[in-house]
Amino acid sequence: MIETIAPDQVLLDRAAKTGPLPPAVRAGLADPMARISVTTVTRDGGRRLDCYAVAGAGKQLAAVTPDAKGEAAVSFPVDGMLAEALIVETLGFDQPLAQIDHRSEFDIAALWALAAMADAHRQAELESLLARTPTRQVALSEDSIYLRALDGAALPDPRWLSGMLTQVFGPGDVTEARLLEGLAALARAGLIARGPTGLWSPQPAFITAFAHLELPLAAAVLSIDRRRAGGFDSAMRVFLRSFAAIWVIEPRGPAGASTAVRLGSVGAADARTFVHDAIALALKQPAAPPPAQKAAEARRFCRQCGHPATAADRFCGECGAELA
């Protein structure tokens, strides 16, 4: 069953224009048990799929698929693994990939500086190659790094790491001051170093690990909100696919106000397992709380000695008196 609705109405009232849908679906769209959102970014554009675990419908989902015309289709039922399939297809988890085994934690400024540094380093290598002067390690000026950061924020071209991050996270806070903060954080992590001339040079840790990030091919964002008492527990993972590796970016801190990220490389099998398990957990029905019992029903006492007794007892287990 498909009903066309507008995405803004989905956000404001998830029961909008869904009259023909079953009552459980209408209720689930208005107050879902879980929300599963997948957004993909490639050179050919992006796709987005929002699924809502429908209350009262087991593990069945209603899928909201926005389109470029500003409308969306609501489909019910859809398989819960549809979101996983979209990520697997976009990022090619079924292909052999390198295991870089790198883990880093950055603040947001350092992440944007890292992307700008990787882009500037790649651009310098391309220019060196065109000039037929192969130089593997190039010292970079702050101006060149800053210009690459501005390019990524203004022109979200997914062929560059900063452009890919702009498409995934939105425009970053690209200022010279923030860039310097980020570069200093990368220097403290031993990824880059500043020479006596003021130029920044990639260090071996940067070359070996982040060379795999210099040419991103695709990205996928998995966002899951799972209902709990008083609101939702939120989790988001960003998967970046390059020629040789899969990287995962995990925002740290409150949802929507993250101040840091964890960046690490993973194998394709591990990434697929994580996606599968995260979606399965979102669709798992929460355990029902034990039924509340009234105090008068839960407790019974001997009138003679006060010893507690069960509803099935005829005589007190302490003094032997007959129970009323």
Side-chain angles (χ1 to χ4, degrees), residues 3-13 16-17 64 66 70-73:
E3 175 76 10
T4 299
I5 58 179
D8 59 338
Q9 291 172 316
V10 176
L11 294 175
L12 296 175
D13 180 2
K17 296 187 179 181
V64 179
E71 295 183 338

Side-chain angles (χ1 to χ4, degrees), residues 119-129 135 138-140:
D119 290 343
H121 181 239
R122 175 180 162 215
Q123 185 178 40
E125 287 199 326
L126 289 174
E127 292 173 352
S128 176
L129 181 63
T135 304
V138 181
L140 302 167

Side-chain angles (χ1 to χ4, degrees), residues 42-94:
T42 66
R43 296 186 185 186
D44 300 326
R47 289 183 291 175
R48 181 182 174 98
L49 173 68
D50 293 326
C51 295
Y52 300 87
V54 176
K59 293 185 178 181
Q60 290 182 322
L61 297 176
V64 179
T65 51
D67 61 24
K69 298 179 181 179
E71 295 183 338
V74 176
S75 305
F76 178 84
V78 295
D79 189 276
M81 293 303 103
L82 186 64
E84 177 184 344
L86 180 57
I87 295 178
V88 171
E89 175 192 343
T90 301
L91 299 184
F93 283 170
D94 55 339

Side-chain angles (χ1 to χ4, degrees), residues 108-119 145 149 178-184 186 192 206:
I108 295 297
L111 177 66
W112 286 100
L114 170 71
M117 186 79 186
D119 290 343
I145 301 171
R178 290 284 283 167
L179 181 71
L180 289 175
E181 290 177 16
L183 292 174
L186 296 179
I192 62 176
F206 183 101

Side-chain angles (χ1 to χ4, degrees), residues 126-147:
L126 289 174
E127 292 173 352
S128 176
L129 181 63
L130 291 173
R132 299 177 182 270
T133 56
T135 304
R136 296 302 304 166
Q137 186 163 325
V138 181
L140 302 167
S141 68
E142 289 174 3
D143 287 343
S144 65
I145 301 171
Y146 182 51
L147 287 175

Side-chain angles (χ1 to χ4, degrees), residues 9 20 26 28 37 47-48 62 82 156 198 217 220 230 234 256 275 285 309:
Q9 291 172 316
R26 296 201 304 271
S37 175
R47 289 183 291 175
R48 181 182 174 98
L82 186 64
L217 299 179
S234 298
V275 173
Q285 292 282 1

